Amino acid sequence: MLRTKTGIQGLDKALNGGFPEGNIVLVSGGAGTGKSTLCLQFIINGAKLFGEKGLYISTEQNEEELQKQASSFGWDISELQKKGLLKITYFDIGSGENFLKRVDEMVKSFQPKRIVIDSMTTLTDALMISGIGEKEPFSLVQIAETVSPIPRTDQIISKTILYSLIKEIKKFRLTTLLTSELYEEFTRLSADGVSEFIADGVIILHYIGAGAATFRTLRVRKMRYTDHEKSSLTCDMTPKGIEIKQQEFNL
Ligand SMILES: Nc1ncnc2c1ncn2[C@@H]1O[C@H](COP(=O)(O)OP(=O)(O)OP(=O)(O)O)[C@@H](O)[C@H]1O
Ligand SMILES: [Mg+2]
């Protein structure tokens, strides 16, 4: 099977060689758990180590902010951009622009191998409020309103929007990371409680603090089409990015 390597040694090992190519993977975690860093690292490693083009779409940080985050880990984004291996785009959720149309255009013109959407939570929340696309041919809110026979609560509409979004993103057939906020009650794997079922894979990040001691963990909770490490892996946010600490795997 073809694999998309993350270039993060311990993670590739835990995934038995990388993400199965074309998988849509949800990266879920609370605030500051390292979702954006992991995604950025995935895209930058893809370009730098494997010569694969990567597209990073953020609804939360603009290009300058992502540059700043990357350079804090010593990653040179502009060099990869000049080589045509990396594209970073900020999508303003308040702009009223059709998200899927914009992504579709970028995928067609740039032809990336990997893609990141950071974050699904802000995106679906915004789609809920503004009904982006109501005047566009692709109206997610309209779809949500017509397909659901039960009373249309906000939650049902947001789930339907999310479902449609992920279904459309799947059509690109690219290895994709989507970030989702995870609230501190651990009963669900994403903020919406539905994307974990639609996505091919789920990675959960935790940042645990007890007094002055803190530690980070990463867990591959689900990964379709491959065996993977099931336990939580301890990791570190180092000056070079996320590193998985040396540990024995039961693969
Ligand atoms: N250069 C760095 N070196 C070490 N640790 C860092 C560095 N930059 C950020 N961090 C740590 O990573 C955390 C932020 O990581 P990141 O932005 O990837 O998290 P996130 O899950 O995307 O957060 P959010 O929910 O705010 O989007 C910071 O709170 C800090 O603890
Ligand atoms: Mg983030």
Side-chain angles (χ1 to χ4, degrees):
M1 183 205 297
L2 293 173
R3 302 263 177 176
T4 307
K5 283 184 188 293
T6 66
I8 301 167
Q9 244 184 2
L11 180 55
D12 283 334
K13 198 171 156 203
L15 290 166
N16 223 349
F19 297 122
E21 200 177 276
N23 265 17
I24 299 203
V25 179
L26 192 71
V27 177
S28 211
T33 48
K35 302 180 293 297
S36 302
T37 305
L38 180 71
C39 290
L40 207 51
Q41 206 167 343
F42 167 73
I43 287 285
I44 288 173
N45 281 350
K48 215 164 53 179
L49 307 177
F50 311 112
E52 291 188 3
K53 284 194 203 174
L55 173 63
Y56 194 108
I57 303 163
S58 177
T59 56
E60 294 185 347
Q61 289 165 287
N62 61 32
E63 193 180 329
E64 198 182 318
E65 289 166 329
L66 284 162
Q67 289 261 10
K68 193 160 73 178
Q69 184 161 358
S71 60
S72 81
F73 293 109
W75 304 328
D76 188 355
I77 284 189
S78 49
E79 193 201 319
L80 295 169
Q81 279 172 321
K82 272 187 227 142
K83 285 186 183 160
L85 286 169
L86 184 77
K87 209 178 197 62
I88 289 183
T89 309
Y90 171 66
F91 181 82
D92 180 359
I93 50 170
S95 68
E97 199 186 339
N98 184 311
F99 178 75
L100 282 171
K101 204 168 141 217
R102 166 97 170 267
V103 179
D104 189 55
E105 281 163 7
M106 280 190 294
V107 166
K108 281 194 180 121
S109 64
F110 185 58
Q111 303 207 316
K113 283 280 283 183
R114 359 183 128 199
I115 179 166
V116 165
I117 300 174
D118 181 19
S119 90
M120 277 316 257
T121 313
T122 18
L123 193 62
T124 39
D125 285 354
L127 286 168
M128 270 294 292
I129 296 160
S130 67
I132 284 182
E134 257 175 324
K135 292 178 206 73
E136 305 278 348
F138 194 87
S139 169
L140 295 171
V141 172
Q142 260 169 27
I143 293 171
E145 286 181 340
T146 47
V147 296
S148 170
I150 25 183
R152 297 172 224 133
T153 62
D154 283 359
Q155 212 189 2
I156 289 168
I157 296 182
S158 92
K159 281 185 181 183
T160 316
I161 287 175
L162 197 81
Y163 183 80
S164 313
L165 256 181
I166 295 183
K167 210 175 82 192
E168 289 301 311
I169 292 165
K170 269 193 181 178
K171 291 185 185 160
F172 297 128
R173 298 179 177 278
L174 299 169
T175 311
T176 306
L177 299 190
L178 311 171
T179 66
S180 174
E181 262 165 54
L182 182 67
Y183 306 118
E184 296 302 323
E185 20 108 18
F186 299 131
T187 49
R188 298 192 306 203
L189 305 183
S190 64
D192 52 79
V194 70
S195 20
E196 61 263 35
F197 297 103
I198 311 167
D200 298 308
V202 179
I203 287 184
I204 312 236
L205 300 174
H206 276 136
Y207 180 53
I208 300 155
T214 59
F215 73 104
R216 297 177 186 272
T217 64
L218 178 154
R219 183 165 172 226
V220 182
R221 172 64 179 70
K222 155 180 171 180
M223 195 59 59
R224 284 183 184 144
Y225 319 119
T226 185
D227 192 14
H228 60 88
E229 173 60 29
K230 314 292 186 309
S231 61
S232 285
L233 312 173
T234 47
C235 50
D236 253 345
M237 197 74 100
T238 78
K240 289 181 189 163
I242 292 174
E243 276 178 19
I244 311 286
K245 288 193 185 158
Q246 202 59 42
Q247 45 216 315
E248 290 297 315
F249 292 129
N250 312 315
L251 280 173

